[in-house]
Amino acid sequence: MSRSTTQNTIVAAPPNSDEKTRAICEERGNRPDELLEVFHAVQAELGYVPEQVLPVIADALNLSRAEVYGVLSFYHDFRTTPPGRHIVKMCRAEACQAMHTEKVCAHAEQKLGTRFGETSPDGEYTLEAVYCLGNCALSPAMLVDGDLFGCVDEKRFDAIIADLDKEAAA
């Protein structure tokens, strides 16, 4: 589960998040076997799965809060805090490791001012580790806001981030 620099601060859930979450559960028949799909839909709708909606999900699906939290915390793709404006996913799987992704990852942490699983203090970037983007032939690979990049070294990483910063300034 992604953590952010705000993990010790209570983050207010988006407006109407309880109602939206209840509707998502109802769309899936309030079935406990739909829990993962509920999490995906809530995250797609709200940008993350606020911890405040876990009792709503538990009640709707007739599960304990512990069961709901256990599943949420098991899967690292679900966030419990708002993500940064840009989500940077760095591949750390074997093929990328063989092509020195750890150097690029260390550089990414320094450049973005945040650690993996966290969001930069300015709220611009969430840095996440992934373990295969299916771009092994062009490793190291990264995904930025859904766009795949290959052959990423420190220089290319900086250029990609600079392009995002330019877009934000425009």
Side-chain angles (χ1 to χ4, degrees):
M1 174 168 46
S2 272
R3 304 279 184 237
S4 88
T5 54
T6 60
Q7 73 183 21
N8 292 327
T9 305
I10 302 250
V11 177
N16 303 319
S17 58
D18 285 3
E19 293 82 11
K20 290 176 181 177
T21 299
R22 258 188 227 95
I24 288 168
C25 290
E26 287 174 13
E27 288 169 7
R28 284 153 185 81
N30 290 324
R31 294 178 32 204
D33 62 328
E34 293 286 319
L35 180 57
L36 286 177
E37 288 77 9
V38 167
F39 285 149
H40 283 291
V42 168
Q43 186 159 292
E45 176 73 24
L46 304 176
Y48 65 108
V49 182
E51 291 191 40
Q52 295 93 323
V53 303
L54 298 185
V56 173
I57 295 170
D59 184 55
L61 304 185
N62 197 27
L63 296 168
S64 73
R65 290 181 189 182
E67 289 172 304
V68 172
Y69 181 79
V71 173
L72 179 68
S73 62
F74 179 79
Y75 292 100
H76 66 273
D77 283 339
F78 299 119
R79 293 181 210 87
T80 59
T81 56
R85 196 166 75 151
H86 301 287
I87 299 173
V88 177
K89 296 182 179 195
M90 303 292 301
C91 182
R92 299 183 94 167
E94 290 78 6
C96 287
Q97 285 180 29
M99 296 303 291
H100 313 290
T101 194
E102 291 308 316
K103 270 180 54 179
V104 181
C105 288
H107 179 76
E109 287 182 320
Q110 184 274 326
K111 176 78 175 178
L112 301 179
T114 192
R115 295 173 35 189
F116 277 87
E118 297 182 350
T119 297
S120 61
D122 62 4
E124 284 297 305
Y125 297 97
T126 296
L127 184 59
E128 298 179 349
V130 294
Y131 293 91
C132 195
L133 291 170
N135 201 28
C136 302
L138 297 175
S139 59
M142 69 187 254
L143 196 67
V144 180
D145 298 337
D147 293 327
L148 183 62
F149 297 90
C151 301
V152 179
D153 58 10
E154 293 92 334
K155 184 177 176 181
R156 180 162 163 109
F157 181 89
D158 289 349
I160 293 165
I161 298 304
D163 285 346
L164 292 172
D165 292 340
K166 284 179 197 170
E167 289 174 20

